[in-house]
Amino acid sequence: MINDILKYGIMYVVLVLVQVLLINNVQLGGMYSPFIYILFILLLPFDTPRYLLLILGFLLGLTIDVFSNTPGIHASATVFTAFLRPGVLMLISSRETYEPGSAPRISTYGFEWFLKYAVILVLAHNLFLFFVEAFTLHGVFHTLLKAIINAFLSIILIVLSQYLVFRK
């Protein structure tokens, strides 16, 4: 248990640092910057209690907000993602297929399963974040396009991280 807390604590810090020090400073086309930090919520063990998912989602988003000077936008989007996660897991496969104590990984559940899981949650996160940021339906197609492109870039980074960093 202590080992898991340490492992996820280090993952939290590393993902936040990569996001705020590296990825936030590299923008494609002047407005597209992928979000790798949500990988923390995606990779938490299946048996993580819902209340802990929401608390960790809030703390993760708040940390990004503090460093990015975005008052509550990332916190709300990350809590929304953490809230959706159990439902998405139930949607894409039954609970009986998960090994106790395991976590969602490409190496464990396969590329197709992980891609479905990541696409749904990352797209939901990005749509929520960009529509809260815009806070209007004026320019809805521009906001939608921005969210989809950002989600695509985020998913590429998340899948690459599964092969480069989180492989067994």
Side-chain angles (χ1 to χ4, degrees):
M1 172 141 164
I2 299 289
N3 193 22
D4 285 342
I5 293 172
L6 183 62
K7 178 175 77 172
Y8 285 101
I10 290 170
M11 185 189 338
Y12 180 96
V13 170
V14 168
L15 287 171
V16 167
L17 289 175
V18 167
Q19 183 70 48
V20 299
L21 296 177
L22 186 66
I23 296 176
N24 283 357
N25 294 316
V26 177
Q27 291 190 349
L28 303 170
M31 62 182 178
Y32 305 112
S33 182
F35 301 122
I36 190 78
Y37 72 91
I38 59 174
L39 184 60
F40 178 77
I41 297 297
L42 296 177
L43 295 184
L44 286 172
F46 292 116
D47 52 2
T48 304
R50 183 171 277 209
Y51 74 90
L52 188 56
L53 276 173
L54 295 174
I55 290 169
L56 291 172
F58 176 73
L59 292 174
L60 177 63
L62 188 63
T63 305
I64 298 296
D65 282 330
V66 166
F67 286 112
S68 302
N69 199 23
T70 52
I73 293 173
H74 290 278
S76 62
T78 311
V79 167
F80 179 69
T81 306
F83 176 78
L84 290 180
R85 183 180 183 252
V88 169
L89 287 170
M90 296 280 274
L91 179 70
I92 62 174
S93 59
S94 67
R95 201 111 165 99
E96 294 82 40
T97 61
Y98 304 135
E99 298 173 27
S102 69
R105 303 272 198 279
I106 283 181
S107 60
T108 309
Y109 294 96
F111 177 80
E112 184 180 335
W113 181 91
F114 187 83
L115 188 64
K116 279 192 285 190
Y117 170 68
V119 164
I120 293 168
L121 287 176
V122 170
L123 190 57
H125 173 273
N126 279 277
L127 287 168
F128 188 93
L129 185 132
F130 286 113
F131 277 103
V132 167
E133 181 183 54
F135 207 64
T136 182
L137 290 179
H138 184 281
V140 68
F141 294 112
H142 179 265
T143 305
L144 187 62
L145 181 65
K146 187 175 176 181
I148 290 170
I149 291 172
N150 240 41
F152 177 74
L153 295 172
S154 299
I155 290 164
I156 289 172
L157 281 180
I158 286 169
V159 169
L160 280 175
S161 75
Q162 286 292 289
Y163 286 113
L164 300 175
V165 180
F166 295 102
R167 66 180 184 264
K168 279 194 173 181

mmCIF file of all heavy atoms in Angstrom, residues 117-160:
data_model
loop_
_atom_site.group_PDB
_atom_site.id
_atom_site.type_symbol
_atom_site.label_atom_id
_atom_site.label_comp_id
_atom_site.label_asym_id
_atom_site.label_seq_id
_atom_site.Cartn_x
_atom_site.Cartn_y
_atom_site.Cartn_z
ATOM 1 N N TYR A 117 -11.200 3.622 -23.912
ATOM 2 C CA TYR A 117 -11.242 4.212 -22.567
ATOM 3 C C TYR A 117 -10.677 5.629 -22.569
ATOM 4 O O TYR A 117 -11.309 6.573 -22.093
ATOM 5 C CB TYR A 117 -10.465 3.276 -21.641
ATOM 6 C CG TYR A 117 -10.161 3.784 -20.264
ATOM 7 C CD1 TYR A 117 -11.169 3.984 -19.331
ATOM 8 C CD2 TYR A 117 -8.846 4.016 -19.868
ATOM 9 C CE1 TYR A 117 -10.882 4.416 -18.047
ATOM 10 C CE2 TYR A 117 -8.551 4.446 -18.595
ATOM 11 C CZ TYR A 117 -9.572 4.649 -17.688
ATOM 12 O OH TYR A 117 -9.284 5.083 -16.418
ATOM 13 N N ALA A 118 -9.495 5.788 -23.144
ATOM 14 C CA ALA A 118 -8.821 7.091 -23.153
ATOM 15 C C ALA A 118 -9.566 8.102 -24.027
ATOM 16 O O ALA A 118 -9.726 9.263 -23.640
ATOM 17 C CB ALA A 118 -7.382 6.937 -23.630
ATOM 18 N N VAL A 119 -10.044 7.687 -25.192
ATOM 19 C CA VAL A 119 -10.730 8.611 -26.102
ATOM 20 C C VAL A 119 -11.979 9.183 -25.436
ATOM 21 O O VAL A 119 -12.211 10.390 -25.469
ATOM 22 C CB VAL A 119 -11.073 7.926 -27.446
ATOM 23 C CG1 VAL A 119 -12.100 8.724 -28.230
ATOM 24 C CG2 VAL A 119 -9.819 7.723 -28.266
ATOM 25 N N ILE A 120 -12.770 8.324 -24.812
ATOM 26 C CA ILE A 120 -14.008 8.799 -24.186
ATOM 27 C C ILE A 120 -13.697 9.805 -23.077
ATOM 28 O O ILE A 120 -14.274 10.901 -23.040
ATOM 29 C CB ILE A 120 -14.831 7.620 -23.631
ATOM 30 C CG1 ILE A 120 -15.351 6.752 -24.778
ATOM 31 C CG2 ILE A 120 -15.995 8.129 -22.781
ATOM 32 C CD1 ILE A 120 -15.936 5.420 -24.330
ATOM 33 N N LEU A 121 -12.771 9.453 -22.188
ATOM 34 C CA LEU A 121 -12.498 10.340 -21.049
ATOM 35 C C LEU A 121 -11.743 11.606 -21.448
ATOM 36 O O LEU A 121 -12.042 12.695 -20.949
ATOM 37 C CB LEU A 121 -11.737 9.578 -19.958
ATOM 38 C CG LEU A 121 -12.580 8.572 -19.196
ATOM 39 C CD1 LEU A 121 -11.739 7.797 -18.194
ATOM 40 C CD2 LEU A 121 -13.745 9.250 -18.492
ATOM 41 N N VAL A 122 -10.790 11.490 -22.345
ATOM 42 C CA VAL A 122 -10.028 12.671 -22.767
ATOM 43 C C VAL A 122 -10.920 13.624 -23.561
ATOM 44 O O VAL A 122 -10.860 14.849 -23.367
ATOM 45 C CB VAL A 122 -8.774 12.264 -23.572
ATOM 46 C CG1 VAL A 122 -8.108 13.465 -24.213
ATOM 47 C CG2 VAL A 122 -7.790 11.525 -22.672
ATOM 48 N N LEU A 123 -11.759 13.088 -24.416
ATOM 49 C CA LEU A 123 -12.675 13.939 -25.175
ATOM 50 C C LEU A 123 -13.669 14.634 -24.251
ATOM 51 O O LEU A 123 -13.930 15.835 -24.392
ATOM 52 C CB LEU A 123 -13.401 13.119 -26.237
ATOM 53 C CG LEU A 123 -14.205 13.898 -27.264
ATOM 54 C CD1 LEU A 123 -13.335 14.906 -28.005
ATOM 55 C CD2 LEU A 123 -14.840 12.946 -28.260
ATOM 56 N N ALA A 124 -14.203 13.900 -23.271
ATOM 57 C CA ALA A 124 -15.117 14.506 -22.295
ATOM 58 C C ALA A 124 -14.414 15.617 -21.517
ATOM 59 O O ALA A 124 -14.974 16.695 -21.311
ATOM 60 C CB ALA A 124 -15.655 13.443 -21.339
ATOM 61 N N HIS A 125 -13.184 15.354 -21.094
ATOM 62 C CA HIS A 125 -12.400 16.349 -20.350
ATOM 63 C C HIS A 125 -12.202 17.604 -21.188
ATOM 64 O O HIS A 125 -12.414 18.726 -20.718
ATOM 65 C CB HIS A 125 -11.048 15.748 -19.953
ATOM 66 C CG HIS A 125 -10.109 16.721 -19.337
ATOM 67 N ND1 HIS A 125 -9.251 17.508 -20.084
ATOM 68 C CD2 HIS A 125 -9.887 17.059 -18.047
ATOM 69 C CE1 HIS A 125 -8.552 18.270 -19.277
ATOM 70 N NE2 HIS A 125 -8.910 18.024 -18.030
ATOM 71 N N ASN A 126 -11.773 17.424 -22.433
ATOM 72 C CA ASN A 126 -11.487 18.572 -23.295
ATOM 73 C C ASN A 126 -12.740 19.349 -23.663
ATOM 74 O O ASN A 126 -12.716 20.585 -23.676
ATOM 75 C CB ASN A 126 -10.749 18.111 -24.550
ATOM 76 C CG ASN A 126 -9.279 17.908 -24.284
ATOM 77 O OD1 ASN A 126 -8.504 18.850 -24.313
ATOM 78 N ND2 ASN A 126 -8.899 16.681 -24.008
ATOM 79 N N LEU A 127 -13.822 18.655 -23.963
ATOM 80 C CA LEU A 127 -15.069 19.361 -24.275
ATOM 81 C C LEU A 127 -15.532 20.182 -23.077
ATOM 82 O O LEU A 127 -15.882 21.361 -23.221
ATOM 83 C CB LEU A 127 -16.155 18.370 -24.688
ATOM 84 C CG LEU A 127 -15.995 17.750 -26.069
ATOM 85 C CD1 LEU A 127 -16.960 16.588 -26.249
ATOM 86 C CD2 LEU A 127 -16.187 18.793 -27.158
ATOM 87 N N PHE A 128 -15.514 19.577 -21.902
ATOM 88 C CA PHE A 128 -15.915 20.299 -20.689
ATOM 89 C C PHE A 128 -15.010 21.502 -20.461
ATOM 90 O O PHE A 128 -15.479 22.616 -20.248
ATOM 91 C CB PHE A 128 -15.869 19.351 -19.479
ATOM 92 C CG PHE A 128 -16.451 19.942 -18.236
ATOM 93 C CD1 PHE A 128 -17.786 19.722 -17.919
ATOM 94 C CD2 PHE A 128 -15.696 20.726 -17.373
ATOM 95 C CE1 PHE A 128 -18.344 20.264 -16.769
ATOM 96 C CE2 PHE A 128 -16.236 21.274 -16.234
ATOM 97 C CZ PHE A 128 -17.569 21.041 -15.926
ATOM 98 N N LEU A 129 -13.695 21.284 -20.530
ATOM 99 C CA LEU A 129 -12.732 22.355 -20.259
ATOM 100 C C LEU A 129 -12.900 23.522 -21.226
ATOM 101 O O LEU A 129 -12.990 24.677 -20.807
ATOM 102 C CB LEU A 129 -11.300 21.804 -20.344
ATOM 103 C CG LEU A 129 -10.223 22.805 -19.951
ATOM 104 C CD1 LEU A 129 -9.257 22.149 -18.985
ATOM 105 C CD2 LEU A 129 -9.472 23.288 -21.161
ATOM 106 N N PHE A 130 -12.981 23.252 -22.515
ATOM 107 C CA PHE A 130 -13.030 24.343 -23.485
ATOM 108 C C PHE A 130 -14.380 25.057 -23.507
ATOM 109 O O PHE A 130 -14.430 26.261 -23.766
ATOM 110 C CB PHE A 130 -12.630 23.861 -24.871
ATOM 111 C CG PHE A 130 -11.147 23.619 -24.982
ATOM 112 C CD1 PHE A 130 -10.650 22.348 -25.164
ATOM 113 C CD2 PHE A 130 -10.248 24.660 -24.866
ATOM 114 C CE1 PHE A 130 -9.292 22.120 -25.245
ATOM 115 C CE2 PHE A 130 -8.879 24.456 -24.947
ATOM 116 C CZ PHE A 130 -8.402 23.178 -25.133
ATOM 117 N N PHE A 131 -15.465 24.342 -23.225
ATOM 118 C CA PHE A 131 -16.755 25.031 -23.165
ATOM 119 C C PHE A 131 -16.902 25.835 -21.881
ATOM 120 O O PHE A 131 -17.514 26.901 -21.882
ATOM 121 C CB PHE A 131 -17.919 24.056 -23.370
ATOM 122 C CG PHE A 131 -18.182 23.794 -24.819
ATOM 123 C CD1 PHE A 131 -17.757 22.611 -25.405
ATOM 124 C CD2 PHE A 131 -18.817 24.736 -25.606
ATOM 125 C CE1 PHE A 131 -17.979 22.380 -26.758
ATOM 126 C CE2 PHE A 131 -19.047 24.511 -26.948
ATOM 127 C CZ PHE A 131 -18.617 23.329 -27.534
ATOM 128 N N VAL A 132 -16.300 25.383 -20.781
ATOM 129 C CA VAL A 132 -16.285 26.193 -19.562
ATOM 130 C C VAL A 132 -15.392 27.419 -19.769
ATOM 131 O O VAL A 132 -15.735 28.525 -19.354
ATOM 132 C CB VAL A 132 -15.817 25.367 -18.334
ATOM 133 C CG1 VAL A 132 -15.488 26.255 -17.151
ATOM 134 C CG2 VAL A 132 -16.882 24.360 -17.946
ATOM 135 N N GLU A 133 -14.275 27.227 -20.439
ATOM 136 C CA GLU A 133 -13.373 28.341 -20.725
ATOM 137 C C GLU A 133 -14.054 29.391 -21.605
ATOM 138 O O GLU A 133 -13.961 30.587 -21.351
ATOM 139 C CB GLU A 133 -12.113 27.828 -21.408
ATOM 140 C CG GLU A 133 -11.093 28.896 -21.726
ATOM 141 C CD GLU A 133 -9.905 28.343 -22.472
ATOM 142 O OE1 GLU A 133 -10.105 27.704 -23.526
ATOM 143 O OE2 GLU A 133 -8.784 28.567 -22.003
ATOM 144 N N ALA A 134 -14.746 28.946 -22.643
ATOM 145 C CA ALA A 134 -15.435 29.880 -23.550
ATOM 146 C C ALA A 134 -16.648 30.493 -22.862
ATOM 147 O O ALA A 134 -16.964 31.662 -23.062
ATOM 148 C CB ALA A 134 -15.860 29.159 -24.816
ATOM 149 N N PHE A 135 -17.357 29.701 -22.074
ATOM 150 C CA PHE A 135 -18.538 30.098 -21.303
ATOM 151 C C PHE A 135 -19.599 30.784 -22.163
ATOM 152 O O PHE A 135 -20.300 31.689 -21.741
ATOM 153 C CB PHE A 135 -18.143 30.998 -20.126
ATOM 154 C CG PHE A 135 -19.122 30.914 -18.989
ATOM 155 C CD1 PHE A 135 -19.301 29.735 -18.304
ATOM 156 C CD2 PHE A 135 -19.868 32.008 -18.607
ATOM 157 C CE1 PHE A 135 -20.198 29.643 -17.261
ATOM 158 C CE2 PHE A 135 -20.774 31.937 -17.562
ATOM 159 C CZ PHE A 135 -20.943 30.742 -16.892
ATOM 160 N N THR A 136 -19.686 30.313 -23.404
ATOM 161 C CA THR A 136 -20.702 30.804 -24.319
ATOM 162 C C THR A 136 -20.870 29.791 -25.443
ATOM 163 O O THR A 136 -19.972 28.999 -25.694
ATOM 164 C CB THR A 136 -20.324 32.175 -24.910
ATOM 165 O OG1 THR A 136 -21.371 32.622 -25.755
ATOM 166 C CG2 THR A 136 -19.026 32.123 -25.692
ATOM 167 N N LEU A 137 -22.016 29.831 -26.074
ATOM 168 C CA LEU A 137 -22.201 28.977 -27.239
ATOM 169 C C LEU A 137 -21.888 29.735 -28.528
ATOM 170 O O LEU A 137 -21.985 29.177 -29.615
ATOM 171 C CB LEU A 137 -23.630 28.426 -27.272
ATOM 172 C CG LEU A 137 -23.928 27.405 -26.175
ATOM 173 C CD1 LEU A 137 -25.375 26.933 -26.265
ATOM 174 C CD2 LEU A 137 -22.983 26.228 -26.245
ATOM 175 N N HIS A 138 -21.499 30.991 -28.390
ATOM 176 C CA HIS A 138 -21.049 31.758 -29.548
ATOM 177 C C HIS A 138 -19.711 31.165 -29.991
ATOM 178 O O HIS A 138 -18.807 31.004 -29.200
ATOM 179 C CB HIS A 138 -20.877 33.241 -29.177
ATOM 180 C CG HIS A 138 -20.519 34.088 -30.346
ATOM 181 N ND1 HIS A 138 -19.250 34.154 -30.842
ATOM 182 C CD2 HIS A 138 -21.276 34.894 -31.128
ATOM 183 C CE1 HIS A 138 -19.227 34.963 -31.867
ATOM 184 N NE2 HIS A 138 -20.452 35.435 -32.063
ATOM 185 N N GLY A 139 -19.602 30.835 -31.225
ATOM 186 C CA GLY A 139 -18.379 30.202 -31.714
ATOM 187 C C GLY A 139 -18.291 28.744 -31.309
ATOM 188 O O GLY A 139 -17.206 28.220 -31.063
ATOM 189 N N VAL A 140 -19.444 28.084 -31.212
ATOM 190 C CA VAL A 140 -19.501 26.705 -30.732
ATOM 191 C C VAL A 140 -18.664 25.770 -31.604
ATOM 192 O O VAL A 140 -18.011 24.868 -31.080
ATOM 193 C CB VAL A 140 -20.961 26.217 -30.605
ATOM 194 C CG1 VAL A 140 -21.626 26.076 -31.947
ATOM 195 C CG2 VAL A 140 -21.030 24.910 -29.857
ATOM 196 N N PHE A 141 -18.652 25.977 -32.905
ATOM 197 C CA PHE A 141 -17.890 25.098 -33.786
ATOM 198 C C PHE A 141 -16.395 25.282 -33.609
ATOM 199 O O PHE A 141 -15.626 24.321 -33.670
ATOM 200 C CB PHE A 141 -18.317 25.288 -35.249
ATOM 201 C CG PHE A 141 -19.736 24.848 -35.485
ATOM 202 C CD1 PHE A 141 -20.720 25.766 -35.799
ATOM 203 C CD2 PHE A 141 -20.086 23.511 -35.361
ATOM 204 C CE1 PHE A 141 -22.031 25.358 -35.995
ATOM 205 C CE2 PHE A 141 -21.393 23.093 -35.550
ATOM 206 C CZ PHE A 141 -22.373 24.017 -35.874
ATOM 207 N N HIS A 142 -15.966 26.519 -33.378
ATOM 208 C CA HIS A 142 -14.541 26.776 -33.120
ATOM 209 C C HIS A 142 -14.111 26.113 -31.814
ATOM 210 O O HIS A 142 -13.047 25.486 -31.742
ATOM 211 C CB HIS A 142 -14.277 28.289 -33.063
ATOM 212 C CG HIS A 142 -12.864 28.612 -32.771
ATOM 213 N ND1 HIS A 142 -12.411 28.874 -31.493
ATOM 214 C CD2 HIS A 142 -11.780 28.691 -33.590
ATOM 215 C CE1 HIS A 142 -11.116 29.108 -31.526
ATOM 216 N NE2 HIS A 142 -10.704 29.004 -32.783
ATOM 217 N N THR A 143 -14.947 26.230 -30.785
ATOM 218 C CA THR A 143 -14.648 25.614 -29.497
ATOM 219 C C THR A 143 -14.641 24.098 -29.624
ATOM 220 O O THR A 143 -13.757 23.423 -29.072
ATOM 221 C CB THR A 143 -15.673 26.052 -28.430
ATOM 222 O OG1 THR A 143 -15.688 27.488 -28.380
ATOM 223 C CG2 THR A 143 -15.325 25.508 -27.066
ATOM 224 N N LEU A 144 -15.592 23.556 -30.351
ATOM 225 C CA LEU A 144 -15.672 22.115 -30.567
ATOM 226 C C LEU A 144 -14.441 21.604 -31.314
ATOM 227 O O LEU A 144 -13.841 20.589 -30.933
ATOM 228 C CB LEU A 144 -16.946 21.783 -31.343
ATOM 229 C CG LEU A 144 -17.293 20.326 -31.536
ATOM 230 C CD1 LEU A 144 -17.516 19.644 -30.198
ATOM 231 C CD2 LEU A 144 -18.533 20.207 -32.402
ATOM 232 N N LEU A 145 -14.033 22.312 -32.361
ATOM 233 C CA LEU A 145 -12.849 21.936 -33.129
ATOM 234 C C LEU A 145 -11.596 21.994 -32.256
ATOM 235 O O LEU A 145 -10.754 21.088 -32.297
ATOM 236 C CB LEU A 145 -12.697 22.838 -34.351
ATOM 237 C CG LEU A 145 -11.500 22.544 -35.255
ATOM 238 C CD1 LEU A 145 -11.659 21.161 -35.894
ATOM 239 C CD2 LEU A 145 -11.370 23.616 -36.322
ATOM 240 N N LYS A 146 -11.481 23.037 -31.462
ATOM 241 C CA LYS A 146 -10.331 23.184 -30.562
ATOM 242 C C LYS A 146 -10.274 22.025 -29.562
ATOM 243 O O LYS A 146 -9.210 21.458 -29.317
ATOM 244 C CB LYS A 146 -10.427 24.526 -29.825
ATOM 245 C CG LYS A 146 -9.228 24.879 -28.999
ATOM 246 C CD LYS A 146 -9.384 26.280 -28.409
ATOM 247 C CE LYS A 146 -8.237 26.623 -27.496
ATOM 248 N NZ LYS A 146 -8.375 27.933 -26.896
ATOM 249 N N ALA A 147 -11.421 21.651 -29.019
ATOM 250 C CA ALA A 147 -11.468 20.551 -28.046
ATOM 251 C C ALA A 147 -11.104 19.225 -28.710
ATOM 252 O O ALA A 147 -10.367 18.419 -28.131
ATOM 253 C CB ALA A 147 -12.862 20.464 -27.420
ATOM 254 N N ILE A 148 -11.581 18.991 -29.910
ATOM 255 C CA ILE A 148 -11.311 17.735 -30.601
ATOM 256 C C ILE A 148 -9.835 17.630 -30.989
ATOM 257 O O ILE A 148 -9.210 16.581 -30.800
ATOM 258 C CB ILE A 148 -12.233 17.577 -31.828
ATOM 259 C CG1 ILE A 148 -13.669 17.336 -31.354
ATOM 260 C CG2 ILE A 148 -11.761 16.451 -32.740
ATOM 261 C CD1 ILE A 148 -14.704 17.398 -32.450
ATOM 262 N N ILE A 149 -9.272 18.697 -31.503
ATOM 263 C CA ILE A 149 -7.849 18.674 -31.882
ATOM 264 C C ILE A 149 -6.977 18.491 -30.640
ATOM 265 O O ILE A 149 -6.035 17.698 -30.641
ATOM 266 C CB ILE A 149 -7.463 19.942 -32.668
ATOM 267 C CG1 ILE A 149 -8.126 19.918 -34.042
ATOM 268 C CG2 ILE A 149 -5.948 20.064 -32.801
ATOM 269 C CD1 ILE A 149 -7.976 21.193 -34.834
ATOM 270 N N ASN A 150 -7.298 19.212 -29.578
ATOM 271 C CA ASN A 150 -6.542 19.066 -28.337
ATOM 272 C C ASN A 150 -6.659 17.648 -27.777
ATOM 273 O O ASN A 150 -5.686 17.089 -27.282
ATOM 274 C CB ASN A 150 -7.029 20.079 -27.303
ATOM 275 C CG ASN A 150 -5.939 21.001 -26.859
ATOM 276 O OD1 ASN A 150 -5.144 21.450 -27.672
ATOM 277 N ND2 ASN A 150 -5.896 21.268 -25.580
ATOM 278 N N ALA A 151 -7.860 17.075 -27.844
ATOM 279 C CA ALA A 151 -8.071 15.703 -27.369
ATOM 280 C C ALA A 151 -7.246 14.726 -28.197
ATOM 281 O O ALA A 151 -6.622 13.807 -27.651
ATOM 282 C CB ALA A 151 -9.548 15.338 -27.418
ATOM 283 N N PHE A 152 -7.230 14.915 -29.507
ATOM 284 C CA PHE A 152 -6.445 14.055 -30.397
ATOM 285 C C PHE A 152 -4.963 14.108 -30.022
ATOM 286 O O PHE A 152 -4.305 13.069 -29.897
ATOM 287 C CB PHE A 152 -6.669 14.477 -31.855
ATOM 288 C CG PHE A 152 -5.859 13.697 -32.846
ATOM 289 C CD1 PHE A 152 -6.200 12.385 -33.145
ATOM 290 C CD2 PHE A 152 -4.770 14.275 -33.471
ATOM 291 C CE1 PHE A 152 -5.441 11.658 -34.061
ATOM 292 C CE2 PHE A 152 -4.012 13.555 -34.385
ATOM 293 C CZ PHE A 152 -4.349 12.247 -34.686
ATOM 294 N N LEU A 153 -4.443 15.322 -29.829
ATOM 295 C CA LEU A 153 -3.035 15.468 -29.448
ATOM 296 C C LEU A 153 -2.760 14.853 -28.079
ATOM 297 O O LEU A 153 -1.726 14.208 -27.863
ATOM 298 C CB LEU A 153 -2.647 16.952 -29.454
ATOM 299 C CG LEU A 153 -2.677 17.647 -30.808
ATOM 300 C CD1 LEU A 153 -2.476 19.147 -30.644
ATOM 301 C CD2 LEU A 153 -1.640 17.056 -31.750
ATOM 302 N N SER A 154 -3.693 15.030 -27.162
ATOM 303 C CA SER A 154 -3.542 14.460 -25.820
ATOM 304 C C SER A 154 -3.528 12.942 -25.871
ATOM 305 O O SER A 154 -2.719 12.291 -25.196
ATOM 306 C CB SER A 154 -4.676 14.928 -24.901
ATOM 307 O OG SER A 154 -4.675 16.324 -24.763
ATOM 308 N N ILE A 155 -4.406 12.364 -26.676
ATOM 309 C CA ILE A 155 -4.489 10.903 -26.785
ATOM 310 C C ILE A 155 -3.208 10.338 -27.386
ATOM 311 O O ILE A 155 -2.714 9.299 -26.944
ATOM 312 C CB ILE A 155 -5.737 10.493 -27.587
ATOM 313 C CG1 ILE A 155 -6.984 10.795 -26.755
ATOM 314 C CG2 ILE A 155 -5.687 9.025 -27.989
ATOM 315 C CD1 ILE A 155 -8.264 10.813 -27.533
ATOM 316 N N ILE A 156 -2.653 11.024 -28.363
ATOM 317 C CA ILE A 156 -1.379 10.580 -28.939
ATOM 318 C C ILE A 156 -0.308 10.527 -27.850
ATOM 319 O O ILE A 156 0.411 9.528 -27.717
ATOM 320 C CB ILE A 156 -0.944 11.492 -30.106
ATOM 321 C CG1 ILE A 156 -1.840 11.260 -31.311
ATOM 322 C CG2 ILE A 156 0.516 11.239 -30.485
ATOM 323 C CD1 ILE A 156 -1.620 12.234 -32.452
ATOM 324 N N LEU A 157 -0.195 11.575 -27.053
ATOM 325 C CA LEU A 157 0.803 11.591 -25.971
ATOM 326 C C LEU A 157 0.526 10.514 -24.922
ATOM 327 O O LEU A 157 1.449 9.873 -24.421
ATOM 328 C CB LEU A 157 0.833 12.963 -25.296
ATOM 329 C CG LEU A 157 1.578 14.068 -26.007
ATOM 330 C CD1 LEU A 157 1.501 15.355 -25.211
ATOM 331 C CD2 LEU A 157 3.027 13.685 -26.236
ATOM 332 N N ILE A 158 -0.732 10.321 -24.594
ATOM 333 C CA ILE A 158 -1.104 9.335 -23.578
ATOM 334 C C ILE A 158 -0.774 7.919 -24.057
ATOM 335 O O ILE A 158 -0.191 7.122 -23.313
ATOM 336 C CB ILE A 158 -2.587 9.494 -23.201
ATOM 337 C CG1 ILE A 158 -2.750 10.747 -22.335
ATOM 338 C CG2 ILE A 158 -3.125 8.255 -22.496
ATOM 339 C CD1 ILE A 158 -4.187 11.170 -22.107
ATOM 340 N N VAL A 159 -1.101 7.611 -25.303
ATOM 341 C CA VAL A 159 -0.796 6.281 -25.840
ATOM 342 C C VAL A 159 0.717 6.086 -25.953
ATOM 343 O O VAL A 159 1.250 5.029 -25.592
ATOM 344 C CB VAL A 159 -1.509 6.057 -27.186
ATOM 345 C CG1 VAL A 159 -1.009 4.812 -27.887
ATOM 346 C CG2 VAL A 159 -3.018 5.969 -26.981
ATOM 347 N N LEU A 160 1.431 7.098 -26.415
ATOM 348 C CA LEU A 160 2.891 7.005 -26.481
ATOM 349 C C LEU A 160 3.486 6.766 -25.099
ATOM 350 O O LEU A 160 4.420 5.975 -24.949
ATOM 351 C CB LEU A 160 3.490 8.273 -27.093
ATOM 352 C CG LEU A 160 3.448 8.383 -28.603
ATOM 353 C CD1 LEU A 160 3.962 9.754 -29.050
ATOM 354 C CD2 LEU A 160 4.245 7.274 -29.258
#
